[in-house]
Amino acid sequence: MSLAAIDWAQPWLAPYRAIGESAAHAALHTTTVAAALQQSAAPGFSPVFAPQLDLPAGLAYEAHIFQTGTVPTRDNLHDFFNGLVWLAFPETKRRLNELQAAEIARRGIASTRGPLRDALTLFDENGAVLDAPAALWKALAARDWHTLFVTQRALWAKARLLVFGHALLEKLTTPRKAVTAHVLLPAPGAVGLSVPDDRALARSLDAEYLAQKPFAPLPVLGVPGWWPDNASVDFYDDPKVFRPGP
């Protein structure tokens, strides 16, 4: 899949459009993905985007970023979107990297990541953040899709969904009904999550809480205004995508 296939008019790309459109053009026509991302960064931005060859054999990717302040970057959609998220939400990405590196230092690299690194990777790759009225949160947690998207549909005018995961952004380059995000649930006692407040989101990422994998599945093309077909109630009558709660 080429960077030329990205449809920058899609609503999930709104937080990334200003930087991403010009960076994609540069990567397609004049330079590498790493160089295009670096050119789009503000002066003094850290980390630095570097070619994938800069990653030494045998060194964990997250540990390398933490130790060197460089992000190994391939010329593909996946790493392009990873770089865009770094540029748009640097505090959050740095916090994820800090937690990953600390866990690698503590536990080493094993055949399994462990619960915390699993959760960090899941959020980094496929996560989303929702700022919404309480009624929508309740319906989402219960996987009550009819309430979430039909009965309470008008409340989405007061909600904001941020697609954070770079693999999720890559999947949405070719939108399919089944594409599902893992939405980060606010910690108990928290008033919610502010989208897209990078600093507040970074502060909310607590290792002990994340290790519990506090996520709710959300088929993102069900969000009102995000896909034309969901204007019909029948769109949600698909138990293979909008699966009932446990």
Side-chain angles (χ1 to χ4, degrees):
M1 177 61 64
S2 167
L3 274 68
I6 301 172
D7 180 0
W8 292 103
Q10 295 292 3
W12 49 84
L13 289 175
Y16 308 102
R17 188 176 301 134
I19 298 172
E21 199 162 6
S22 60
H25 184 272
L28 278 167
H29 298 289
T30 63
T31 188
T32 64
V33 167
L37 292 167
Q38 196 60 42
Q39 290 169 13
S40 301
F45 179 85
S46 178
V48 171
F49 299 101
Q52 179 69 17
L53 291 173
D54 283 12
L55 177 62
L59 181 60
Y61 171 80
E62 295 287 352
H64 175 77
I65 295 173
F66 186 77
Q67 292 170 16
T68 68
T70 62
V71 178
T73 303
R74 300 165 295 183
D75 289 321
N76 60 26
L77 271 177
H78 188 86
D79 286 14
F80 175 75
F81 282 123
N82 181 50
L84 282 192
V85 181
W86 267 108
L87 292 173
F89 300 98
E91 295 291 334
T92 302
K93 289 287 280 187
R94 276 193 281 268
R95 176 61 175 160
L96 291 171
N97 178 244
E98 174 187 71
L99 291 171
Q100 286 271 20
E103 193 69 356
I104 290 169
R106 187 173 73 88
R107 296 169 55 96
I109 299 296
S111 57
T112 58
R113 290 190 180 99
L116 176 56
R117 289 195 64 216
D118 273 349
L120 292 167
T121 302
L122 183 62
F123 182 64
D124 194 27
E125 296 277 352
N126 205 63
V129 182
L130 178 65
D131 186 351
L136 295 185
W137 275 114
K138 182 179 179 181
L140 175 63
R143 301 187 198 180
D144 182 352
W145 307 116
H146 187 82
T147 298
L148 181 65
F149 291 126
V150 181
T151 306
Q152 299 288 1
R153 192 175 186 85
L155 283 181
W156 280 94
K158 301 178 181 179
R160 298 184 73 185
L161 179 69
L162 165 68
V163 174
F164 181 87
H166 55 280
L168 182 57
L169 289 166
E170 182 185 13
K171 292 175 192 174
L172 285 167
T173 306
T174 51
R176 295 180 298 107
K177 188 176 184 179
V179 173
T180 299
H182 287 79
V183 175
L184 180 64
L185 298 170
V191 295
L193 296 168
S194 180
V195 178
D197 188 331
D198 181 31
R199 186 168 296 177
L201 179 57
R203 287 199 301 263
S204 75
L205 297 178
D206 174 76
E208 185 175 345
Y209 180 60
L210 285 170
Q212 301 171 38
K213 294 188 179 177
F215 304 107
L218 176 65
V220 294
L221 295 188
V223 175
W226 278 35
W227 199 242
D229 291 353
N230 75 33
S232 169
V233 174
D234 294 344
F235 182 83
Y236 303 103
D237 295 334
D238 185 347
K240 291 182 179 179
V241 174
F242 299 96
R243 299 178 182 180

